[in-house]
Amino acid sequence: MEPGQCSGTKDIDGDAWAKLVPTDSSYPVIEIRSRDTIICSEVTSSSIDKLKWCEIERCPDKDSTMIRSASLSAIIVDGTVVGEEAVDIKSGSEIISGPDRSGYLSYIFEVIPLQHHDSESLQISIDVEHAKCSICLNVWHDVVTVAPCLHNFCNGCFSEWLRRSSTRSHGKTQSVVCPQCRAIVHSVGRNHFLHNIEEAILQTFSSLKRSDEDIALLDTYSSIKSNLVLGMQKNPSRKRPLTFASDESNDVELPCPQCGAELGGFRCSLATTHLQCQGCGGRMPSRPESGVIQHCLGCDRTFCGVYWASQGVDADEFNVICHPDTFKPISQHTISRIPDSTHQNNRYEREITERCIQQTGKTLQAMISDWIVKFVNREIDRTNLQLKHAEMINMRTYLCNDCYNKFIDYLLYWFRVSVPRHLLPHDASERENCWYGYLCRTQHHSGEHARKRNHVCRPTRGNINM
Ligand SMILES: [Zn+2]
Ligand SMILES: [Zn+2]
Ligand SMILES: [Zn+2]
Ligand SMILES: [Zn+2]
Ligand SMILES: [Zn+2]
Ligand SMILES: [Zn+2]
């Protein structure tokens, strides 16, 4: 055995609950893992042999610990000679590995605080009455939770309630209410945490178990398969049967207006992939074959406004969808003021650009239209345009509002650098260029610097690779 090892007479059971700390730190600490342990280590400072010399046993109540000698010679515990008769030890007890203080090693016994080994399980007490289904009055079986009221039922019981709710409404879709509190149910899902509690209760109180036939019958009603099904009855004004995910996937699928109802000649199937709109958070079926634009070319993100307009679906209190105006081709965007983001949020430069436009006698809209034409005709370099697929952009390109603003920022930069210095407003024409150009950070926190230097120019210092 290695120095400091000890052998348990019972199975090793995980973390150490106590240790023997040698007063001479050149010897190793002995960890005690089993409830009943024979300690085997060096006993004298002169010998390198490891000997079995004592047995330490923790009483089952874990409140007290006993020690006895495990060899023919006695040991000394807290000053008392101990042989085969066990005595109590406590955290802090001093143990000498032989019958004499001199020549033998001395150890301090230390109990490791409880949280180190009992931290993983927590006892919870539950009133069994709170673990019963209010439909069948038994302890839940395959428990499901409905939201937002969070009442719990057997999967079979609630599934049957759902089936009857839809029969009662004669095919007209109507809200499902919670059988317990009558709150409108928005979602239902299997509750794995409560399922563990359900099983623990039935193990403890086996008299509450239902017969195998009852359980088998209940299981035939169960229709809630996924962890969470959201969006039931999102649209009660339209004919839409309750739809449940048919697989065991954990996907939270928000049905879209075309799930369960044919609109614009299309109805989603179980195989339909849905896209989540970045504008409203709602879903729409992914339909590249339809030719309808569903992604912004500038950022590749998904936007639903164009799609729903093409399907004849309007926003109403049940359909949270984007207005088509939020996502449109460049040619249809309009602009009435310079975006705040223009010229790196530097308002001095925006004011100067505004005055430059006024000098030309054109409106901002007319100026932008001119520059879009220059852009489309490739009179402007596109390299630094911070949009994806910049090379593909033309008048008909659909851009989200964020990307359109970035596009405008880019055009206004090129407009400004095209204005000859002598045509700039007087206070702007005298300024020198800031070395860091549009990348300058000082312009954001020093109004003085932002006013004194021109920042609508390329950087000539610093990180100019941007
Ligand atoms: Zn039930
Ligand atoms: Zn409820
Ligand atoms: Zn759908
Ligand atoms: Zn949307
Ligand atoms: Zn975009
Ligand atoms: Zn600067």
Side-chain angles (χ1 to χ4, degrees):
M1 255 189 187
E2 294 295 314
Q5 275 197 330
C6 48
S7 69
T9 55
K10 299 259 163 37
D11 288 336
I12 300 291
D13 54 5
D15 290 345
W17 60 273
K19 56 190 175 184
L20 290 180
V21 181
T23 48
D24 179 349
S25 60
S26 57
Y27 291 90
V29 172
I30 302 167
E31 290 202 321
I32 305 169
R33 294 172 190 280
S34 302
R35 192 174 71 74
D36 187 354
T37 304
I38 307 255
I39 304 296
C40 178
S41 69
E42 296 97 329
V43 291
T44 65
S45 44
S46 56
S47 131
I48 53 155
D49 285 338
K50 287 128 239 163
L51 299 170
K52 291 180 183 174
W53 59 275
C54 77
E55 178 179 5
I56 293 176
E57 182 176 3
R58 180 161 63 156
C59 302
D61 59 17
K62 300 185 178 180
D63 274 339
S64 55
T65 306
M66 310 286 279
I67 188 168
R68 66 165 66 86
S69 169
S71 70
L72 292 175
S73 62
I75 57 173
I76 301 173
V77 176
D78 292 325
T80 306
V81 176
V82 173
E84 282 177 20
E85 282 286 317
V87 296
D88 272 309
I89 46 170
K90 293 183 179 65
S91 222
S93 285
E94 186 201 32
I95 303 160
I96 313 274
S97 58
D100 201 322
R101 224 166 227 294
S102 63
Y104 290 93
L105 299 179
S106 138
Y107 292 90
I108 302 297
F109 174 75
E110 279 181 22
V111 173
I112 296 167
L114 253 182
Q115 65 262 31
H116 287 289
H117 42 175
D118 271 352
S119 60
E120 272 148 359
S121 63
L122 173 68
Q123 302 246 324
I124 314 174
S125 65
I126 290 175
D127 183 341
V128 174
E129 289 308 309
H130 294 155
K132 286 187 175 174
C133 166
S134 62
I135 299 175
C136 67
L137 309 179
N138 287 298
V139 172
W140 310 309
H141 169 70
D142 188 9
V143 58
V144 296
T145 299
V146 300
C149 68
L150 302 181
H151 284 119
N152 307 296
F153 309 94
C154 311
N155 190 338
C157 294
F158 189 75
S159 299
E160 185 60 7
W161 171 262
L162 272 180
R163 198 184 60 75
R164 290 198 203 156
S165 302
S166 57
T167 313
R168 261 201 307 276
S169 59
H170 307 292
K172 279 194 232 92
T173 311
Q174 180 187 298
S175 298
V176 171
V177 297
C178 169
Q180 196 165 337
C181 70
R182 306 268 145 192
I184 290 178
V185 173
H186 294 154
S187 68
V188 56
R190 293 168 88 182
N191 190 322
H192 298 294
F193 178 73
L194 290 184
H195 181 72
N196 291 337
I197 291 177
E198 152 197 326
E199 295 208 311
I201 289 171
L202 292 176
Q203 240 163 40
T204 313
F205 305 102
S206 49
S207 62
L208 296 176
K209 273 190 190 159
R210 287 181 246 192
S211 72
D212 289 349
E213 297 94 86
D214 282 358
I215 291 294
L217 180 65
L218 197 58
D219 282 340
T220 63
Y221 296 135
S222 303
S223 65
I224 293 147
K225 304 277 191 236
S226 99
N227 285 355
L228 192 62
V229 178
L230 284 178
M232 288 165 52
Q233 306 300 297
K234 194 178 165 198
N235 182 0
S237 70
R238 286 210 171 86
K239 205 170 165 181
R240 186 194 302 171
L242 292 159
T243 49
F244 292 101
S246 65
D247 58 356
E248 289 278 348
S249 77
N250 295 353
D251 281 353
V252 176
E253 189 80 356
L254 274 172
C256 77
Q258 284 174 318
C259 279
E262 187 177 309
L263 297 169
F266 180 83
R267 178 180 174 147
C268 299
S269 73
L270 285 171
T272 303
T273 307
H274 285 80
L275 303 169
Q276 187 167 24
C277 172
Q278 297 298 302
C280 65
R283 301 219 172 190
M284 64 178 156
S286 171
R287 294 185 59 199
E289 85 292 346
S290 69
V292 178
I293 308 290
Q294 297 183 297
H295 295 91
C296 168
L297 196 70
C299 59
D300 285 339
R301 294 184 304 165
T302 303
F303 291 91
C304 76
V306 175
Y307 178 76
W308 290 125
S310 77
Q311 304 295 297
V313 176
D314 301 321
D316 58 31
E317 61 180 305
F318 307 114
N319 290 325
V320 183
I321 61 176
C322 291
H323 191 274
D325 217 33
T326 56
F327 183 42
K328 52 194 176 189
I330 287 175
S331 59
Q332 285 176 26
H333 276 272
T334 53
I335 183 161
S336 55
R337 57 181 287 271
I338 297 177
D340 287 350
S341 54
T342 297
H343 302 322
Q344 262 67 33
N345 283 298
N346 181 328
R347 67 183 175 89
Y348 299 101
E349 302 295 0
R350 286 203 304 273
E351 278 166 21
I352 293 166
T353 296
E354 204 168 353
R355 283 187 280 155
C356 289
I357 295 170
Q358 282 161 6
Q359 278 178 17
T360 67
K362 290 186 180 172
T363 61
L364 175 62
Q365 178 68 66
M367 176 62 66
I368 290 298
S369 299
D370 289 352
W371 281 83
I372 291 175
V373 171
K374 289 183 207 279
F375 179 88
V376 170
N377 292 340
R378 299 190 179 265
E379 292 168 37
I380 311 174
D381 174 45
R382 301 187 178 197
T383 321
N384 286 326
L385 176 56
Q386 301 292 308
L387 293 180
K388 297 192 176 181
H389 317 291
E391 283 305 313
M392 292 166 66
I393 291 173
N394 62 40
M395 296 280 202
R396 295 175 305 282
T397 300
Y398 281 77
L399 290 183
C400 69
N401 288 339
D402 286 352
C403 290
Y404 183 72
N405 279 348
K406 282 188 189 172
F407 182 59
I408 294 300
D409 295 346
Y410 195 70
L411 297 179
L412 287 174
Y413 172 83
W414 284 101
F415 162 72
R416 250 299 285 283
V417 297
S418 77
V419 178
R421 190 175 273 257
H422 69 273
L423 291 183
L424 286 174
H426 181 69
D427 51 326
S429 62
E430 302 291 299
R431 303 184 309 168
E432 284 180 32
N433 287 350
C434 172
W435 290 336
Y436 300 97
Y438 53 77
L439 292 182
C440 172
R441 291 194 199 135
T442 313
Q443 64 177 325
H444 302 304
H445 51 81
S446 165
E448 165 99 2
H449 176 80
R451 241 192 327 266
K452 277 190 169 168
R453 293 274 187 273
N454 173 39
H455 286 94
V456 186
C457 57
R458 280 187 185 278
T460 53
R461 293 258 175 110
N463 178 13
I464 56 172
N465 295 324
M466 269 180 75

